[in-house]
PDB file of all heavy atoms in Angstrom:
ATOM      1  N   LEU A 705       3.843   7.583  -3.696  1.00 39.00           N
ATOM      2  CA  LEU A 705       4.777   8.208  -4.623  1.00 39.00           C
ATOM      3  C   LEU A 705       4.051   8.652  -5.881  1.00 39.00           C
ATOM      4  O   LEU A 705       4.352   9.689  -6.473  1.00 39.00           O
ATOM      5  CB  LEU A 705       5.898   7.221  -4.962  1.00 39.00           C
ATOM      6  CG  LEU A 705       6.726   6.738  -3.769  1.00 39.00           C
ATOM      7  CD1 LEU A 705       7.786   5.746  -4.245  1.00 39.00           C
ATOM      8  CD2 LEU A 705       7.377   7.910  -3.059  1.00 39.00           C
ATOM      9  N   ILE A 706       3.071   7.837  -6.294  1.00 42.00           N
ATOM     10  CA  ILE A 706       2.253   8.219  -7.447  1.00 42.00           C
ATOM     11  C   ILE A 706       1.311   9.356  -7.075  1.00 42.00           C
ATOM     12  O   ILE A 706       1.055  10.259  -7.860  1.00 42.00           O
ATOM     13  CB  ILE A 706       1.457   6.988  -7.941  1.00 42.00           C
ATOM     14  CG1 ILE A 706       2.429   5.871  -8.353  1.00 42.00           C
ATOM     15  CG2 ILE A 706       0.545   7.367  -9.104  1.00 42.00           C
ATOM     16  CD1 ILE A 706       1.751   4.568  -8.683  1.00 42.00           C
ATOM     17  N   TRP A 707       0.829   9.324  -5.826  1.00 42.00           N
ATOM     18  CA  TRP A 707      -0.124  10.345  -5.385  1.00 42.00           C
ATOM     19  C   TRP A 707       0.480  11.739  -5.416  1.00 42.00           C
ATOM     20  O   TRP A 707      -0.218  12.721  -5.638  1.00 42.00           O
ATOM     21  CB  TRP A 707      -0.608  10.034  -3.972  1.00 42.00           C
ATOM     22  CG  TRP A 707      -1.795   9.132  -3.942  1.00 42.00           C
ATOM     23  CD1 TRP A 707      -1.827   7.822  -3.599  1.00 42.00           C
ATOM     24  CD2 TRP A 707      -3.140   9.473  -4.280  1.00 42.00           C
ATOM     25  NE1 TRP A 707      -3.094   7.330  -3.704  1.00 42.00           N
ATOM     26  CE2 TRP A 707      -3.921   8.329  -4.115  1.00 42.00           C
ATOM     27  CE3 TRP A 707      -3.753  10.649  -4.715  1.00 42.00           C
ATOM     28  CZ2 TRP A 707      -5.281   8.314  -4.363  1.00 42.00           C
ATOM     29  CZ3 TRP A 707      -5.106  10.640  -4.951  1.00 42.00           C
ATOM     30  CH2 TRP A 707      -5.851   9.471  -4.786  1.00 42.00           C
ATOM     31  N   PHE A 708       1.780  11.864  -5.126  1.00 39.00           N
ATOM     32  CA  PHE A 708       2.385  13.191  -5.132  1.00 39.00           C
ATOM     33  C   PHE A 708       2.165  13.870  -6.480  1.00 39.00           C
ATOM     34  O   PHE A 708       1.908  15.061  -6.566  1.00 39.00           O
ATOM     35  CB  PHE A 708       3.899  13.097  -4.863  1.00 39.00           C
ATOM     36  CG  PHE A 708       4.227  12.959  -3.403  1.00 39.00           C
ATOM     37  CD1 PHE A 708       4.953  11.871  -2.947  1.00 39.00           C
ATOM     38  CD2 PHE A 708       3.812  13.922  -2.496  1.00 39.00           C
ATOM     39  CE1 PHE A 708       5.262  11.741  -1.611  1.00 39.00           C
ATOM     40  CE2 PHE A 708       4.123  13.795  -1.157  1.00 39.00           C
ATOM     41  CZ  PHE A 708       4.841  12.700  -0.707  1.00 39.00           C
ATOM     42  N   VAL A 709       2.273  13.070  -7.571  1.00 39.00           N
ATOM     43  CA  VAL A 709       2.058  13.619  -8.900  1.00 39.00           C
ATOM     44  C   VAL A 709       0.570  13.741  -9.200  1.00 39.00           C
ATOM     45  O   VAL A 709       0.087  14.771  -9.667  1.00 39.00           O
ATOM     46  CB  VAL A 709       2.736  12.717  -9.962  1.00 39.00           C
ATOM     47  CG1 VAL A 709       2.441  13.237 -11.355  1.00 39.00           C
ATOM     48  CG2 VAL A 709       4.239  12.665  -9.699  1.00 39.00           C
ATOM     49  N   ALA A 710      -0.174  12.680  -8.885  1.00 44.00           N
ATOM     50  CA  ALA A 710      -1.596  12.657  -9.212  1.00 44.00           C
ATOM     51  C   ALA A 710      -2.362  13.750  -8.504  1.00 44.00           C
ATOM     52  O   ALA A 710      -3.259  14.379  -9.071  1.00 44.00           O
ATOM     53  CB  ALA A 710      -2.193  11.295  -8.862  1.00 44.00           C
ATOM     54  N   LEU A 711      -2.016  14.019  -7.252  1.00 41.00           N
ATOM     55  CA  LEU A 711      -2.752  15.024  -6.492  1.00 41.00           C
ATOM     56  C   LEU A 711      -2.483  16.423  -6.996  1.00 41.00           C
ATOM     57  O   LEU A 711      -3.314  17.318  -6.853  1.00 41.00           O
ATOM     58  CB  LEU A 711      -2.404  14.915  -5.010  1.00 41.00           C
ATOM     59  CG  LEU A 711      -3.130  13.771  -4.292  1.00 41.00           C
ATOM     60  CD1 LEU A 711      -2.535  13.549  -2.924  1.00 41.00           C
ATOM     61  CD2 LEU A 711      -4.613  14.052  -4.188  1.00 41.00           C
ATOM     62  N   SER A 712      -1.310  16.628  -7.589  1.00 43.00           N
ATOM     63  CA  SER A 712      -1.047  17.935  -8.183  1.00 43.00           C
ATOM     64  C   SER A 712      -2.053  18.224  -9.281  1.00 43.00           C
ATOM     65  O   SER A 712      -2.565  19.334  -9.431  1.00 43.00           O
ATOM     66  CB  SER A 712       0.381  17.973  -8.750  1.00 43.00           C
ATOM     67  OG  SER A 712       1.332  17.799  -7.722  1.00 43.00           O
ATOM     68  N   CYS A 713      -2.367  17.201 -10.083  1.00 43.00           N
ATOM     69  CA  CYS A 713      -3.374  17.351 -11.134  1.00 43.00           C
ATOM     70  C   CYS A 713      -4.766  17.485 -10.524  1.00 43.00           C
ATOM     71  O   CYS A 713      -5.608  18.231 -11.018  1.00 43.00           O
ATOM     72  CB  CYS A 713      -3.339  16.140 -12.073  1.00 43.00           C
ATOM     73  SG  CYS A 713      -1.759  15.976 -12.947  1.00 43.00           S
ATOM     74  N   LEU A 714      -4.995  16.761  -9.428  1.00 40.00           N
ATOM     75  CA  LEU A 714      -6.296  16.791  -8.780  1.00 40.00           C
ATOM     76  C   LEU A 714      -6.643  18.193  -8.320  1.00 40.00           C
ATOM     77  O   LEU A 714      -7.773  18.649  -8.436  1.00 40.00           O
ATOM     78  CB  LEU A 714      -6.312  15.827  -7.597  1.00 40.00           C
ATOM     79  CG  LEU A 714      -7.627  15.724  -6.794  1.00 40.00           C
ATOM     80  CD1 LEU A 714      -8.735  15.204  -7.690  1.00 40.00           C
ATOM     81  CD2 LEU A 714      -7.415  14.826  -5.597  1.00 40.00           C
ATOM     82  N   PHE A 715      -5.659  18.923  -7.786  1.00 37.00           N
ATOM     83  CA  PHE A 715      -5.905  20.284  -7.330  1.00 37.00           C
ATOM     84  C   PHE A 715      -6.323  21.180  -8.488  1.00 37.00           C
ATOM     85  O   PHE A 715      -7.149  22.064  -8.342  1.00 37.00           O
ATOM     86  CB  PHE A 715      -4.658  20.869  -6.667  1.00 37.00           C
ATOM     87  CG  PHE A 715      -4.489  20.424  -5.256  1.00 37.00           C
ATOM     88  CD1 PHE A 715      -3.343  19.761  -4.863  1.00 37.00           C
ATOM     89  CD2 PHE A 715      -5.483  20.656  -4.316  1.00 37.00           C
ATOM     90  CE1 PHE A 715      -3.189  19.346  -3.554  1.00 37.00           C
ATOM     91  CE2 PHE A 715      -5.335  20.245  -3.008  1.00 37.00           C
ATOM     92  CZ  PHE A 715      -4.190  19.587  -2.623  1.00 37.00           C
ATOM     93  N   CYS A 716      -5.721  20.928  -9.659  1.00 41.00           N
ATOM     94  CA  CYS A 716      -6.074  21.738 -10.819  1.00 41.00           C
ATOM     95  C   CYS A 716      -7.509  21.494 -11.243  1.00 41.00           C
ATOM     96  O   CYS A 716      -8.230  22.415 -11.646  1.00 41.00           O
ATOM     97  CB  CYS A 716      -5.130  21.433 -11.987  1.00 41.00           C
ATOM     98  SG  CYS A 716      -3.397  21.845 -11.640  1.00 41.00           S
ATOM     99  N   MET A 717      -7.935  20.234 -11.160  1.00 41.00           N
ATOM    100  CA  MET A 717      -9.263  19.871 -11.641  1.00 41.00           C
ATOM    101  C   MET A 717     -10.349  20.087 -10.606  1.00 41.00           C
ATOM    102  O   MET A 717     -11.505  20.273 -10.941  1.00 41.00           O
ATOM    103  CB  MET A 717      -9.268  18.391 -12.076  1.00 41.00           C
ATOM    104  CG  MET A 717      -8.348  18.106 -13.269  1.00 41.00           C
ATOM    105  SD  MET A 717      -8.480  16.374 -13.780  1.00 41.00           S
ATOM    106  CE  MET A 717      -7.735  15.546 -12.407  1.00 41.00           C
ATOM    107  N   ASN A 718      -9.997  20.040  -9.302  1.00 42.00           N
ATOM    108  CA  ASN A 718     -11.010  20.108  -8.250  1.00 42.00           C
ATOM    109  C   ASN A 718     -10.669  21.212  -7.266  1.00 42.00           C
ATOM    110  O   ASN A 718      -9.944  20.996  -6.318  1.00 42.00           O
ATOM    111  CB  ASN A 718     -11.082  18.761  -7.513  1.00 42.00           C
ATOM    112  CG  ASN A 718     -12.246  18.744  -6.545  1.00 42.00           C
ATOM    113  OD1 ASN A 718     -12.918  19.749  -6.346  1.00 42.00           O
ATOM    114  ND2 ASN A 718     -12.481  17.588  -5.935  1.00 42.00           N
TER     115      ASN A 718
END
Side-chain angles (χ1 to χ4, degrees):
L705 300 179
I706 300 173
W707 272 106
F708 279 122
V709 176
L711 281 169
S712 297
C713 297
L714 180 63
F715 279 122
C716 297
M717 296 183 291
N718 188 354

